[in-house]
Amino acid sequence: MKLLIQSILGYRSPLLKRLGRHYSAAASSTAEYDKRNYASNLSEYNTVVGSLIAQRRHFLLREVYDDMMLDGVQPSRETFYSLIVGTLKGARLSDAFFFRDQMKAMGLLPDVALYNFLISTCGKCKNSDQAVQILEEMKINEVKPNGQTYVCLLNACAAAGRLDRVYDISFLVYLSSFPISMTGAGLNKFCYAGLIAAHMNKKPLSDDTAKRIIELVEQSKGWSSVESSNYNAENVMMGISEEELYNLPTADYAHRRGAFIIKPLTVYHAAFHACAELRNVEAIQTLLEMLKKDGNSPDVFITMQVMRCYLHSGDIDSGLKIFEEYMKSGKISGIELYTTLVEGAMVGYTPKGMQLAQDTLVMMGSRNLSLGLRQGNDLLLMAAGEKTGGYTTANYIWDLMRARKFTPSLQAVEAYYNGLKEREIPEDDPRLLEVSRIYDNLRVRFGGGRAGRQ
């Protein structure tokens, strides 16, 4: 149990040290085996799996499972639920199919909830063909799809830009998911969010994409908006929100308290996100007018999308104005508002934008707001792309992360290292030496080695 706790709290799990050299009980005394082993029974393994998912260390789930097999611990249906949910959260499609196959080999047939998780994982990985195949597998195994299955499939196809499939599936949703009455049946808000995403992701984009998105927002008001009355208890138990299950742009914020996202505005969330991705300022302004006409005001997520649209369109002043006005309103905010401003200001790497990015990071520090690992990675990767200038913003982000003892991802460290090497920095510079050391360690850890580094 001592080692179990260490594996939950620490970053260097015993499992990593034992790859390829598992110790069997027969080869050691019981005491020595317990000292070396990752976990000793199913309950402990389930705890470890849950902990790794909570820590976003999804890449270790396959190794935990291998360890269970070597220990002769039989996974339960609950174990497979957790493992497949972990692959969904970590977007690890090959691992998801591996666990499905292992489950079936042990005589445990996936139920409709697990199949829905698999379809959702396909959507997160933008693999609509596999999502459709899973639906066919359900039919072969006589597992009846439910309304949620079709909404998962719709959004999986939407993520891949398969507009043709999305409209076909929306008709199935219409027929199978909701009761038909005198007033007719309606697509729910998640279906409309999927339709909007499909138009945004379709390649090539149509000239009227923004117009179609606005039309869909209008259409969604005329149909019944069925909420989560048929939301599966398994999803709640596994901590999967509907936003995450359907891979909506609000998925990362669904569990936030307060009014960070106002859930009845799901269709607006999808529309604002799509128009921000399209950098269509005119469409954003139209959506704001529609929102106001409906008697609603932007929540934090919508405000972030409006800022993104202006900033990514090169209008730094308007993006900053939106930020300042929101902060003065006294409404609930979040660190994401600041990081949205920082990231958007760096688009184009203009001197004005880079200075605004750095000033915003300093402002965050003065207000005791700290970058998380994921946020720091994203911003460092962005800042490292600066080709001219003093590289001060990238350096500042690096220092913020190291002050919190964060090790950035290999991709972010590599980009930052290459940026440093492009500048006239002495070979014995302490910063360059530290970055070089961390870069080498990460390359060795992830199999790249040192060979080939320039």
Side-chain angles (χ1 to χ4, degrees):
M1 181 60 70
K2 176 182 177 183
L3 210 45
L4 171 67
I5 295 173
Q6 290 175 347
S7 71
I8 294 174
L9 298 179
Y11 284 95
R12 292 182 60 82
S13 72
L15 179 63
L16 290 176
K17 299 176 182 178
R18 298 190 300 115
L19 290 178
R21 51 185 181 87
H22 183 82
Y23 296 96
S24 67
S28 309
S29 66
T30 301
E32 185 178 359
Y33 175 70
D34 288 342
K35 182 179 179 181
R36 290 172 173 169
N37 203 28
Y38 197 162
S40 58
N41 56 52
L42 181 60
S43 177
E44 290 183 0
Y45 270 113
N46 286 341
T47 300
V48 170
V49 168
S51 175
L52 292 177
I53 294 172
Q55 295 175 33
R56 297 179 180 270
R57 300 168 71 192
H58 313 105
F59 59 93
L60 285 177
L61 294 175
R62 180 75 173 267
E63 295 170 2
V64 171
Y65 181 83
D66 291 343
D67 213 56
M68 292 180 69
M69 296 298 97
L70 289 168
D71 282 346
V73 176
Q74 178 76 17
S76 64
R77 180 174 288 274
E78 176 189 358
T79 307
F80 282 113
Y81 258 100
S82 297
L83 290 168
I84 291 176
V85 165
T87 63
L88 165 59
K89 290 179 177 289
R92 301 183 68 84
L93 189 57
S94 62
D95 285 351
F97 287 131
F98 171 80
F99 292 134
R100 177 205 61 183
D101 294 341
Q102 290 290 301
M103 185 177 185
K104 291 167 66 176
M106 294 181 186
L108 298 172
L109 185 67
D111 58 13
V112 65
L114 274 177
Y115 274 122
N116 291 348
F117 293 154
L118 289 169
I119 293 173
S120 179
T121 306
C122 291
K124 199 163 189 176
C125 299
K126 296 180 172 54
N127 192 327
S128 64
D129 290 338
Q130 288 281 10
V132 172
Q133 288 180 20
I134 290 174
L135 182 65
E136 293 302 317
E137 179 182 320
M138 292 176 69
K139 295 177 181 178
I140 293 171
N141 292 330
E142 298 183 350
V143 178
K144 185 178 180 180
N146 56 21
Q148 192 177 93
T149 306
Y150 290 115
V151 181
C152 284
L153 186 61
L154 185 153
N155 280 278
C157 293
R162 292 299 305 269
L163 193 58
D164 53 340
R165 285 179 173 173
V166 167
Y167 276 105
D168 288 342
I169 298 165
S170 67
F171 183 68
L172 293 176
V173 174
Y174 178 91
L175 291 178
S176 65
S177 299
F178 312 114
I180 298 178
S181 65
M182 292 293 291
T183 58
L187 302 178
N188 71 3
K189 60 185 182 181
F190 302 113
C191 296
Y192 279 101
L195 288 166
I196 288 170
H199 280 279
M200 177 190 71
N201 294 322
K202 183 177 180 294
K203 297 293 184 291
L205 283 171
S206 302
D207 293 337
D208 64 344
T209 298
K211 179 182 177 182
R212 288 293 299 131
I213 289 171
I214 292 170
E215 288 174 351
L216 286 166
V217 176
E218 285 289 0
Q219 290 173 18
S220 71
K221 302 173 188 178
W223 294 80
S224 62
S225 180
V226 179
E227 299 299 330
S228 56
S229 58
N230 60 350
Y231 190 52
N232 290 352
E234 291 91 341
N235 301 12
V236 177
M237 180 181 68
M238 301 307 299
I240 299 290
S241 67
E242 288 177 289
E243 289 80 5
E244 187 170 16
L245 185 67
Y246 303 137
N247 295 305
L248 301 190
T250 50
D252 289 339
Y253 314 105
H255 296 293
R256 295 284 290 271
R257 295 180 178 180
F260 196 96
I261 61 169
I262 300 175
K263 294 203 172 187
L265 300 180
T266 295
V267 180
Y268 273 112
H269 292 148
F272 274 101
H273 178 264
C275 291
E277 290 290 306
L278 297 172
R279 303 185 183 186
N280 193 317
V281 172
E282 183 180 353
I284 285 283
Q285 293 171 342
T286 299
L287 288 171
L288 285 171
E289 292 171 2
M290 292 170 63
L291 188 67
K292 183 178 180 181
K293 185 177 178 181
D294 290 344
N296 297 306
S297 58
D299 56 16
V300 181
F301 181 82
I302 290 175
T303 301
M304 288 164 52
Q305 305 315 307
V306 177
M307 288 171 55
R308 284 181 61 231
C309 187
Y310 281 115
L311 292 166
H312 285 248
S313 299
D315 190 348
I316 293 177
D317 292 335
S318 293
L320 177 59
K321 182 180 178 182
I322 295 294
F323 173 83
E324 291 175 339
E325 288 178 349
Y326 191 91
M327 299 305 294
K328 290 177 183 177
S329 70
K331 298 178 182 178
I332 185 172
S333 61
I335 191 172
E336 291 85 358
L337 272 172
Y338 293 86
T339 56
T340 297
L341 181 59
V342 173
E343 186 269 337
M346 289 192 286
V347 172
Y349 303 105
T350 65
K352 178 180 179 180
M354 298 306 290
Q355 186 60 54
L356 174 60
Q358 190 165 336
D359 290 345
T360 305
L361 288 166
V362 172
M363 184 196 312
M364 287 170 52
S366 69
R367 298 180 182 181
N368 296 319
L369 295 172
S370 301
L371 291 175
L373 177 58
R374 182 177 177 182
Q375 295 161 336
N377 271 329
D378 292 343
L379 293 182
L380 179 61
L381 189 59
M382 180 75 177
E386 184 184 16
K387 299 301 181 183
T388 60
Y391 220 42
T392 55
T393 304
N395 291 339
Y396 190 73
I397 295 170
W398 174 269
D399 292 342
L400 288 175
M401 295 186 72
R402 295 304 295 157
R404 299 196 66 191
K405 302 187 184 305
F406 287 155
T407 299
S409 66
L410 173 59
Q411 185 182 15
V413 173
E414 182 175 35
Y416 181 54
Y417 173 80
N418 289 335
L420 288 174
K421 292 290 288 183
E422 291 172 359
R423 287 161 169 81
E424 296 181 1
I425 300 176
E427 290 293 332
D428 60 349
D429 178 80
R431 178 186 299 276
L432 182 60
L433 291 175
E434 180 193 37
V435 176
S436 178
R437 174 181 57 79
I438 293 174
Y439 180 38
D440 283 340
N441 290 341
L442 288 173
R443 285 171 61 85
V444 170
R445 177 180 176 186
F446 292 104
R450 189 183 178 97
R453 201 183 81 180
Q454 300 298 318

